[in-house]
Amino acid sequence: MQISKTAVAALLMSTLLAGAHAGETSLPDAILAPGETIVLTLHAEGAQIYECKAGTDGKLAWAFREPIASLMENGKTVGRHYAGPNWEHADGSAVTGKAAGNAPGATANDIPWLKLEVTARRGTGILANVSTVQRINTEGGKLDGACDKTGSFRSVPYDADYVFLRKG
């Protein structure tokens, strides 16, 4: 049986496309950004910093304070992520965001996936037109429960992917 070159090409293309879609991360509705286009995706390695504070019930518990992470592309550090939350690229551009949606991480030890709306921009580089940041594929970083001493700190390692999007 002889198969035409066109049929073989079509079969190869459909196999490649199916494989590409199978590897994509499926996003929960709460963090979707419909109508927005990906500008850049960076991997973060760092820590979530927690502080021991009294809760509304008067009991001491760990409260999230700030993130600190390196932003990497192809294994090379190209920026940083820190309190604000802020994301700063080596080209001088930066964005600040505020939470607009969240979804649970894959395990009880993983910080949530987030959708953050950009509230401020600096610079003219790659992040200059970013309108939304998604935090996905989180691993680690979560700390819950009681603590013993007000003002003590604990750092919990985490990694995640940050997807930077723009409208249109």
Side-chain angles (χ1 to χ4, degrees):
M1 175 178 201
Q2 195 171 29
I3 301 175
S4 73
K5 288 180 182 179
T6 304
V8 170
L11 180 61
L12 284 172
M13 183 59 87
S14 65
T15 302
L16 288 172
L17 288 174
H21 291 297
E24 290 178 3
T25 300
S26 178
L27 297 179
D29 289 346
I31 67 164
L32 289 176
E36 296 194 36
T37 304
I38 295 173
V39 173
L40 178 68
T41 300
L42 298 174
H43 183 71
E45 293 280 340
Q48 298 284 304
I49 311 299
Y50 293 85
E51 182 176 1
C52 185
K53 290 185 171 186
T56 54
D57 59 3
K59 295 180 183 177
L60 293 180
W62 292 110
F64 175 71
R65 179 184 168 105
E66 63 189 324
I68 183 79
S70 293
L71 298 174
M72 295 177 280
E73 185 174 38
N74 300 320
K76 180 182 175 191
T77 300
V78 296
R80 62 190 186 117
H81 172 47
Y82 55 94
N86 288 282
W87 296 266
E88 190 175 283
H89 196 274
D91 68 7
S93 61
V95 293
T96 302
K98 73 172 186 172
N102 69 73
T107 75
N109 295 322
D110 300 334
I111 54 177
W113 291 20
L114 295 176
K115 173 183 176 181
L116 302 109
E117 294 176 355
V118 170
T119 58
R121 295 171 187 79
R122 297 183 307 279
T124 58
I126 196 160
L127 301 179
N129 295 316
V130 168
S131 53
T132 302
V133 179
Q134 294 167 322
R135 179 176 73 190
I136 62 172
N137 302 326
T138 58
E139 289 185 21
K142 196 166 184 187
L143 181 62
D144 292 321
C147 52
D148 297 329
K149 182 180 173 194
T150 300
S152 60
F153 295 93
R154 184 162 298 162
S155 171
V156 182
Y158 91 104
D159 65 274
D161 293 324
Y162 288 97
V163 182
F164 300 88
L165 304 120
R166 66 174 169 77
K167 294 192 186 311

